[in-house]
Amino acid sequence: GGGGGGVSVSEVVTLRPTELMTLPATDNRLGDLREVLQDGSFQGYPVVQARDPRVLVGYVTRRELRLLLEKRTQGTDLAAGTLCHFTPPALSLSAVPFVDLRAALDTSPIQIAENLPMEIVVDMFRKLGLRYMLVTANGHLQGIITKKDVLVHVNSQHH
């Protein structure tokens, strides 16, 4: 309760990291990524540190990932276990061939705090033409807010 009627991001972000499809920055298996891409319920995936999956590294859209993966693996006969990295390890550490996915990674997605008022968020989406924003606290992933979430919120305000 309480007055003011202001809605904050935390009330609109329904996706917690547990329900959010994240991908580690390193050591993705090719077969796993292909499976992830088969599932159309996510438009994109926050990329997180392999060591500490709360720490945000960037964001990759499903479309960009699919296109780059096709481009990188076309005409090759890579095993499903082939490793794919969004942030490739130093060359000296990687004796085995890997698929380099850094071109698909958005390393500076717009990040907002959970307590930001939704009216500001709506404004940002409109002015910047965004499709998504990541909700973080001290660089730790809290969730995602998509254009669809914003539209649903805006429509709910008018009734």
Side-chain angles (χ1 to χ4, degrees):
V7 180
S8 73
V9 167
S10 57
E11 294 167 67
V12 177
V13 179
T14 46
L15 291 174
R16 293 286 162 246
T18 48
E19 300 152 21
L20 197 56
M21 182 76 206
T22 59
L23 296 172
T26 54
D27 302 320
N28 292 281
R29 292 162 55 92
L30 181 57
D32 294 344
L33 284 182
R34 285 182 169 150
E35 247 169 65
V36 163
L37 289 168
Q38 292 301 312
D39 176 5
S41 50
F42 298 99
Q43 288 309 302
Y45 320 95
V47 175
V48 293
Q49 263 185 19
R51 285 191 311 278
D52 184 351
R54 294 170 310 165
V55 180
L56 185 68
V57 174
Y59 184 85
V60 62
T61 65
R62 182 168 170 245
R63 182 174 173 275
E64 295 274 330
L65 179 56
R66 198 181 68 235
L67 291 173
L68 187 64
L69 209 55
E70 279 170 13
K71 190 173 144 185
R72 291 267 190 271
T73 59
Q74 217 170 25
T76 64
D77 192 21
L78 295 171
T82 304
L83 294 180
C84 306
H85 305 299
F86 290 103
T87 54
L91 288 174
S92 56
L93 298 175
S94 184
V96 290
F98 65 87
V99 180
D100 184 342
L101 297 175
R102 86 184 102 180
L105 183 66
D106 174 4
T107 52
S108 49
I110 293 192
Q111 299 177 39
I112 53 169
E114 214 171 29
N115 57 2
L116 198 66
M118 270 310 288
E119 58 211 68
I120 293 176
V121 173
V122 171
D123 206 40
M124 284 173 76
F125 266 87
R126 283 194 180 130
K127 285 192 173 132
L128 302 172
L130 301 175
R131 291 202 301 273
Y132 56 86
M133 279 190 205
L134 297 175
V135 183
T136 57
N138 305 320
H140 286 183
L141 183 65
Q142 306 291 317
I144 188 170
I145 195 158
T146 63
K147 190 173 183 176
K148 190 176 157 193
D149 296 331
V150 171
L151 292 173
V152 167
H153 165 75
V154 169
N155 291 336
S156 74
Q157 296 298 292
H158 292 310
H159 300 304

